[in-house]
Amino acid sequence: MRPRRSCLAVPGSSVKMLDKAQGLPADQVFLDLEDAVAPLAKPDARKNIVAALNDGDWGGKTRVVRVNDLTTPWTYRDVIEVVEGAGDNLDCIMLPKVQSAGQVEWLDLTLTQIEKTMGLEVGRIGIEAQIENAAGLVNVDAIAAASPRIETIIFGPADFMASINMKSLVVGGLIPGYPGDPYHYILMRILMAARMHDLQAIDGPFLQIRDVDAFREVATRSAALGFDGKWVLHPGQIDAANEVYSPAQDDYDHAELILDAYEHYTSEAGGKLGAVMLGDEMIDEASRKMALVISAKGRAAGMSRTTSFTPPA
């Protein structure tokens, strides 16, 4: 899967920000046509985005465009103009406020028609589905299964909070007076749907952009559950996201040691053993599966191991 530890939001109406984003160390950039762009600015924002995708140097980042949601009059023009104009230089379309599988199916079919018409590789452009209200969460299993193009399920906290009448103005933060994490169920529900279909799960933004410590605290909670990354709204949040959603060096080294040791001990040379000791720790097939998760996250983050496994003499 593509690394998505940090997913940087960039308004399509700002040529300056589109240029600056190309040099930032985010894993993914999504060029926004929705909430970050005023209605009267959307036509020009489409042109800006097409030009930025075609002429920019994105340095291997995952390139995504967030179109407007399907209750608006802008969505079909967003998809047609962006994909026809820059389909070769686009990795995914993000569809916000997804409420049903049918909305994803519409986007899949529309992308297929454009790809065939324009001579693009059919099915290459992925879909990111953003869950932002109660209907989307209730239907998230069907949404996750709606298209083979889907790569991620994303939590959109601000609209979600409004849609369920949550009593808070702090997006993504804990609510004073509530004895727990009010987002835990939502995040786990999204995570289960994503993992059932081998998709990535992405946490939404934290709006207090200058409070990086608070961003890190919020990100740590979803990372602990198993989320793959988080939106960043400001360059100052990127390094924190990349750190939080990468394994610690000690954990990455340990995971690689488990994989090497298990491969050796289950082999003919290692005695065809199913459960063995690695130092003071017993490892088996379940340990291997857990280690694969940490190893994959570390490799996707470009980490290098600092230890190696030496089979016993």
Side-chain angles (χ1 to χ4, degrees):
M1 293 185 181
R2 312 177 200 267
R4 285 184 168 95
R5 298 168 301 169
S6 51
C7 303
L8 177 64
V10 187
S13 53
S14 173
V15 173
K16 178 181 178 181
M17 291 185 181
L18 290 169
D19 290 340
K20 181 178 181 180
Q22 297 172 38
L24 296 174
D27 288 342
Q28 171 176 301
V29 292
F30 72 88
L31 314 183
D32 197 14
L33 286 167
E34 200 213 12
D35 287 350
V37 180
L40 293 178
K42 292 183 189 293
D44 285 339
R46 295 182 192 127
K47 295 180 176 62
N48 294 341
I49 286 174
V50 168
L53 289 171
N54 288 335
D55 301 332
D57 180 4
W58 296 96
K61 297 176 179 61
T62 299
R63 301 154 299 177
V64 179
V65 173
R66 180 168 73 160
V67 298
N68 287 276
D69 80 87
L70 276 167
T71 66
T72 73
W74 303 299
T75 318
Y76 85 102
R77 292 304 315 167
D78 290 344
V79 176
I80 290 170
E81 290 189 28
V82 168
V83 180
E84 287 190 354
D88 281 328
N89 298 307
L90 174 68
D91 296 309
C92 294
I93 292 287
M94 184 188 302
L95 188 63
K97 299 177 178 63
V98 178
Q99 300 185 61
S100 69
Q103 294 180 331
V104 175
E105 292 165 356
W106 172 89
L107 180 55
D108 185 319
L109 178 60
T110 302
L111 288 172
T112 298
Q113 291 177 332
I114 297 171
E115 289 165 339
K116 289 180 177 179
T117 299
M118 301 301 295
L120 302 171
E121 179 185 346
V122 175
R124 186 191 65 79
I125 297 172
I127 293 175
E128 299 191 355
Q130 191 174 9
I131 304 301
E132 300 187 75
N133 57 32
L137 191 66
V138 169
N139 294 323
V140 69
D141 290 324
I143 290 167
S147 167
R149 294 180 187 264
I150 292 190
E151 298 186 13
T152 69
I153 305 294
I154 306 163
F155 176 40
D159 280 285
F160 200 101
M161 292 166 67
S163 80
I164 62 172
N165 296 337
M166 187 175 283
K167 188 182 177 183
S168 177
L169 291 173
V170 179
V171 175
L174 298 182
I175 299 175
Y178 182 79
D181 184 346
Y183 308 103
H184 181 77
Y185 168 76
I186 303 167
L187 291 172
M188 286 301 292
R189 190 71 186 83
I190 287 172
L191 184 64
M192 293 304 102
R195 294 298 187 255
M196 182 176 179
H197 299 283
D198 295 324
L199 309 177
Q200 289 180 317
I202 305 297
D203 195 6
F206 183 73
L207 270 57
Q208 282 68 39
I209 59 175
R210 301 193 187 282
D211 192 344
V212 178
D213 289 339
F215 171 88
R216 188 186 301 274
E217 179 184 346
V218 171
T220 297
R221 292 200 296 271
S222 64
L225 296 178
F227 270 63
D228 299 286
K230 186 173 180 63
W231 279 14
V232 293
L233 303 182
H234 187 273
Q237 297 176 330
I238 294 174
D239 287 345
N242 287 344
E243 177 188 338
V244 168
Y245 292 96
S246 298
Q249 184 68 49
D250 287 348
D251 289 342
Y252 174 64
D253 286 338
H254 188 54
E256 294 287 12
L257 283 176
I258 289 173
L259 294 177
D260 288 349
Y262 190 75
E263 181 179 8
H264 169 73
Y265 285 116
T266 55
S267 70
E268 188 79 33
K272 299 182 289 186
L273 304 174
V276 297
M277 298 299 293
L278 178 62
D280 295 330
E281 175 187 15
M282 190 198 80
I283 62 171
D284 58 11
E285 174 61 14
S287 306
R288 185 189 71 86
K289 292 175 181 175
M290 294 170 65
L292 279 173
V293 173
I294 304 303
S295 172
K297 288 180 181 289
R299 293 176 188 180
M303 298 178 69
S304 298
R305 60 191 299 181
T306 61
T307 59
S308 60
F309 172 72
T310 302

